Amino acid sequence: MKKSILYKLSLFFILFTACNKKDNVTTPEPYTPITINSDWFNVSYINPKTYSLEEPKSSQHNVSYIIVGDSKALMFDTGSGENQPINGLKIKPIIEQLSQVPTTLLLSHFHFDHNQNISEFNSVGFPDLPFLRQNVTPNGIYNFTDDDLFLGSYPSQVQVNEWQPLNTDIDLGNRIIQIINIPGHTNESIAIIDKTNKMAFLGDYLYNGSLFLFNNNDIAMYKESVNYLISTLNDDYKLFGAHGTPEIAYEKLERLKSFLVCIESNSCQSTATNIWGFDVLIYEFENMQIVIFQ
């Protein structure tokens, strides 16, 4: 009798253990942030496998980002290029420390202060916008225009290695992102939406500092883009910009919408002045400033 009970208990234990055994399953180890020492970049960990690269000494106080998945990474902008090279390189040694997977450069837009280290990247991606495809040569070369760069003449061209789909889930390896077009600052301006970690990287569309529009007609596009962002995101998302202090308060999106309505309806007063040799109008609204080139 006792042997029968022991046998049944042993059989139950074996079956229970077998049913609850987690073959080939391991608990992921907590991510250990990588520390970077640099006399130019302030590299800050903002989320597992996500870093901001601030340039407080640059003329524009640029901020770039690297977003790393298990199989691929995206570098969002390249830095201002104003730092001194070390062994001929300005940003690549930093990126190689932060990413051990293939890394593609994606520009938030084409202005001079976002693309200066472009030659240090082996893979450059463009958002799949029809007007950009039309301007790429059959062998994949895009020639930057003066309007693209806004100031300066570098870079003159780039080899486009990848076309990134818009409004489509892209898996970087256990990390889902989307790339969206947000015209207003420039027509090719994009944002990266990290759906896995609830973050949005907005480039020059919105950041902590004065915002720049280059035509009065851009106000309508800017407003359309802010409406789309508000409909797509929510206050669970952390927002990051390309200049100044990286993180942006979410409520600033709603303030921007009200600001644009104020300008469009002629309810906001402007001040005329000159910046970098250009005539501009400056608008102020609830601690925000928009500069419109004339």
Side-chain angles (χ1 to χ4, degrees), residues 5 34-35 52 58 77 93 98 101 104 106 188 196 199 216 222 247 252 254 286 290:
I5 293 174
I34 297 168
T35 301
S52 62
S58 72
D77 290 341
L98 297 173
V101 295
T104 294
L106 193 62
E188 79 280 358
T196 300
M199 296 189 292
N216 285 320
Y222 225 105
E247 189 167 352
K252 204 166 186 176
E254 292 285 357
E286 295 183 4
I290 287 179

Side-chain angles (χ1 to χ4, degrees), residues 97-250:
Q97 293 177 69
L98 297 173
S99 173
Q100 283 72 54
V101 295
T103 301
T104 294
L105 170 65
L106 193 62
L107 299 174
S108 63
H109 61 297
F110 294 165
H111 281 171
F112 72 102
D113 51 333
H114 296 265
N115 60 18
Q116 289 299 294
N117 297 316
I118 198 168
S119 63
E120 296 183 19
F121 291 83
N122 296 324
S123 179
V124 176
F126 270 22
D128 197 355
L129 291 163
F131 69 88
L132 292 181
R133 276 193 178 267
Q134 289 172 5
N135 290 312
V136 170
T137 66
N139 58 344
I141 298 295
Y142 182 84
N143 294 294
F144 290 103
T145 67
D146 290 344
D147 286 342
D148 286 337
L149 300 176
F150 181 60
L151 291 175
S153 58
Y154 179 87
S156 60
Q157 60 181 213
V158 67
Q159 174 76 49
V160 181
N161 307 106
E162 299 180 15
W163 289 98
Q164 301 287 349
L166 299 177
N167 306 310
T168 302
D169 284 356
I170 299 170
D171 190 358
L172 301 179
N174 292 315
R175 186 170 198 172
I176 303 297
I177 61 107
Q178 277 196 2
I179 298 166
I180 62 172
N181 181 213
I182 47 171
H185 180 68
T186 66
N187 289 341
E188 79 280 358
S189 289
I190 58 170
I192 296 177
I193 310 299
D194 182 343
K195 298 173 71 175
T196 300
N197 297 293
K198 301 292 185 183
M199 296 189 292
F201 303 89
L202 303 179
D204 272 9
Y205 181 83
L206 181 62
Y207 53 85
N208 292 310
S210 300
L211 305 178
F212 291 85
L213 282 74
F214 296 90
N215 192 302
N216 285 320
N217 296 330
D218 291 341
I219 296 171
M221 285 194 297
Y222 225 105
K223 192 172 71 172
E224 186 176 340
S225 292
V226 80
N227 287 336
Y228 181 76
L229 285 168
I230 289 170
S231 70
T232 301
L233 307 175
N234 57 53
D235 58 11
D236 289 337
Y237 276 81
K238 290 186 176 183
L239 311 182
F240 297 91
H243 297 279
T245 305
E247 189 167 352
I248 311 159
Y250 181 83

Side-chain angles (χ1 to χ4, degrees), residues 66-87:
I66 185 163
I67 302 160
V68 184
D70 289 348
S71 56
K72 185 175 181 179
L74 289 178
M75 182 70 202
F76 201 40
D77 290 341
T78 69
S80 70
E82 295 173 287
N83 53 315
Q84 292 299 312
I86 298 175
N87 297 322

